[in-house]
Structure formats: structure tokens, C-alpha cells
Amino acid sequence: MRVLYTGADGYIGAVLGPKLLSYGHDATGIDTGLYRRGWLFDDGCTRPMVISKDTRQLSVADLTGIDAVVHLAELSNDPLGENDPGMTMEINYEGSVAFARKCKAAGVGRFIYASSCSIYGASGGEMKSETSPVDPRTAYARCKVLVEHDVKAMTDDRFTPVFLRNATAFGASPRQRFDLVLNNLSGYAFTTGTIRVMSDGTPLRPLVHIDDICQAIVLALEAPREAVAGEAFNVGDESQNYAVRDIAQIVKETFPDAVLTFGAAGADDRSYSVSFAKIKERIPSFACKWDARSGAAQLKSVFERIQLNETMFTATPFTRLAELRHLRDTEQLDLRLLWTPMTNMAPVGAVI
């Protein structure tokens, strides 16, 4: 297929691009470039060409001839979404729905949307399936629910949207994120010798490795239309419904010299466990290859190889909200998070 994937220079996109090529797809990336400073290590992989453009600025003509789209490019987590709920609504909801409409008008046959298990909110002990009521507690999660609703309504014989409700991601990526729970605790353990859990560790979180997310994306691209059209799928495995306390203990076992501490119960009551039976039924070749232990071991190996230190770990490019604040504070981005012109600067390659 000729596949366009947005968020190509993001945490997941940096891993997905080479995988699309390895499966024989003709892939092209789109990314506005907000997080390009955050390159932690080189994995030696060949990547597709990436076009520097905001998805809000793409036209129907830009999408003509594309067979399938994977849409990853949004403001990417709860803290980032809550920082400016209005902008989150513009980009994550209005922008994503408008982008899907353009894809459909351009004749794109399949549209894979990266949703999130965070839409379940607080489960109250119930294991959440795709038919369970949702309880989005943040702007980020509310936008996911709205996009699923509006884009599902576009489903017809020629346009097949698929919604992948990913569990909380973890694992190593060249475009690393340290604002995800397993990555964050592992980074602290290696660079500071402490594993700091800010809560009492009782909230439940399902986890999934980015390699397994990418596997789900590729399989959703290739699955029979009747199995996936207009459907939502939780992406992960029941064995990876962890309490945060259990995640911290796994990190402690991986970094045994680190000191593990817990805080008090917090006001954030989000806690949910998730069923992943549907994706195994409809896309039977999907199976997670990673768990928290192997993911923590992978991170440790990378940290040792690159000699990660605290300065690198806490650098703003590896935390999404911190990097966006830097770009806004330095007036490189405008109020809509679009790049501002670089004034009083000669063009790159100009003869002065």
C-alpha cells in the first residue's frame, strides 16, 4: 500500500516508519517537527521520507493517491492536553476530524486512528471492553472519544476507519519520551538512583510496548475490511494490566541499586483495567511480544549504551509539555502551535 503516517517524527512514528518499510509498504511521513530536538540514540534504521507540514495545513490534493493513512499526530498526553484545553480541542478533535474528512474526499481507503485506553477513566473494578461506557477525565481523553464518534460515522464501502485504543506506551524509541510511567521510573532509577512514585501506587494502568503498537497498526492496515471497518480495538494484553506499584517494583528489580519510594494517595482517581479479547478475535495474528520486565531491560540496555545521565534525562525535548513551553516561550510557535517565521536570518544555504 501507499501509506501516509502522521506524527512521523514522534515517539511511535520514529519506530513505525521503518516497520512500514520492512513490511513492503510505500510509506511517507508527515510531521510538523515540534519534537525533532529529542533524538536520544541512533538505531541504524532506514526511515521513509518525512514532509514537514502540520496536518491542519494539508489539502485534499496532498492526499490524492494515498491508499491508507495512520494518524498519530496530536497533542500527545493528559498534561499537554490540560495545559491548553482549547488548543487541544482545535488540534486533537477538530483537526483530526477535518483531516479524516479530507482523507475520505481524496479517496483514502483505510484510516487508522491512534486512540487511547485513557478514555475509560475510572473502572471501579470492572474490566473495560470496547463496549463499556467511557469516562474521559481530561481534554486529551475527551477529544479521543469525540474523534471516534465523528469519524466512525464516515464509514462506508470506500472509507474504512479503525480506532486503536492503545494502552499506556513504554519502550525505547530514538525519539524518546520520558513522560510515560515505565520510561519515567526507569530513567529516574538509572540517572538518580531513586524510583519516585508520586502516588501510593494503587491506580491500575494497562501498558503496551511501542513495538506492539506498531504491530497492531500494520495488522489493522492489512486486515480484511469486514473485520475492522468502523471498529475500536483495545491494544495490549490482559497480563499487562498493572498497578503502578507493580510497575515500580519491576523497575526496582531491573535497577536493584535504586531506592523505591511512594507518595500519598492523590486526587487523580483514574484507574482502569482493560480487556483485549476483541483484537485477538478480529485480528488473530496480533500478540504482544513485550511486557514491562522486558521493556525495562530494553531501556536499561539503551541507557548503558549511551551513558544516559540526569542532564540528558531531564532535557526538555524528551518531555512533551516542557518542549512545547520552550518553543512558545522562545516565540518559535504562535498561539495555534504553528511555526513563526525566523526573521533577520539568512536562508540556510544562502551565499552571504
Side-chain angles (χ1 to χ4, degrees), residues 110-286:
R110 190 157 297 195
F111 185 86
I112 311 299
Y113 176 69
S115 190
S116 171
C117 284
S118 67
I119 66 175
Y120 295 123
S123 67
E126 172 197 355
M127 183 168 280
K128 294 290 188 175
S129 73
E130 292 82 354
T131 58
S132 298
V134 296
D135 183 22
R137 300 296 182 92
T138 63
Y140 171 79
R142 286 192 290 274
C143 286
K144 295 294 189 189
V145 172
L146 291 169
V147 172
E148 284 194 24
H149 176 271
D150 287 12
V151 176
K152 180 175 181 174
M154 302 180 199
T155 307
D156 60 24
D157 291 343
R158 292 169 297 177
F159 186 68
T160 302
V162 186
F163 310 101
L164 299 181
R165 295 177 180 174
N166 298 313
T168 299
F170 68 92
S173 166
R175 196 77 65 183
Q176 188 65 25
R177 283 180 60 183
F178 285 126
D179 50 4
L180 296 163
V181 59
L182 180 60
N183 298 354
N184 181 264
L185 296 178
S186 297
Y188 270 116
F190 187 82
T191 62
T192 72
T194 61
I195 303 168
R196 297 183 288 183
V197 180
M198 305 310 292
S199 72
D200 62 359
T202 58
L204 299 172
R205 290 288 186 277
L207 300 187
V208 65
H209 194 279
I210 51 173
D211 280 356
D212 293 322
I213 292 174
C214 292
Q215 177 199 169
I217 290 169
V218 172
L219 292 174
L221 285 170
E222 299 174 348
R225 182 189 180 281
E226 60 273 14
V228 298
E231 297 291 335
F233 298 94
N234 296 330
V235 178
D237 189 272
E238 284 84 358
S239 65
Q240 295 187 69
N241 281 306
Y242 299 100
V244 172
R245 178 176 292 272
D246 297 332
I247 299 170
Q249 186 58 48
I250 289 169
V251 173
K252 167 66 175 173
E253 293 168 6
T254 307
F255 303 89
D257 294 335
V259 176
L260 173 58
T261 62
F262 293 91
D268 185 353
D269 65 350
R270 287 174 300 157
S271 180
Y272 48 91
S273 59
V274 177
S275 167
F276 301 97
K278 182 178 177 181
I279 192 169
K280 296 171 187 175
E281 174 190 345
R282 298 289 187 93
I283 310 177
S285 54
F286 174 78

Side-chain angles (χ1 to χ4, degrees), residues 2 15 17 22 31 51 82 121 147 151 157 160-161 165 169 211 236 248 296 306-307 344 352:
R2 189 176 179 200
V15 176
S22 72
D31 200 290
I51 298 168
E82 291 302 295
V147 172
V151 176
D157 291 343
T160 302
R165 295 177 180 174
D211 280 356
I306 67 173
Q307 299 182 36
N344 301 320
I352 300 174

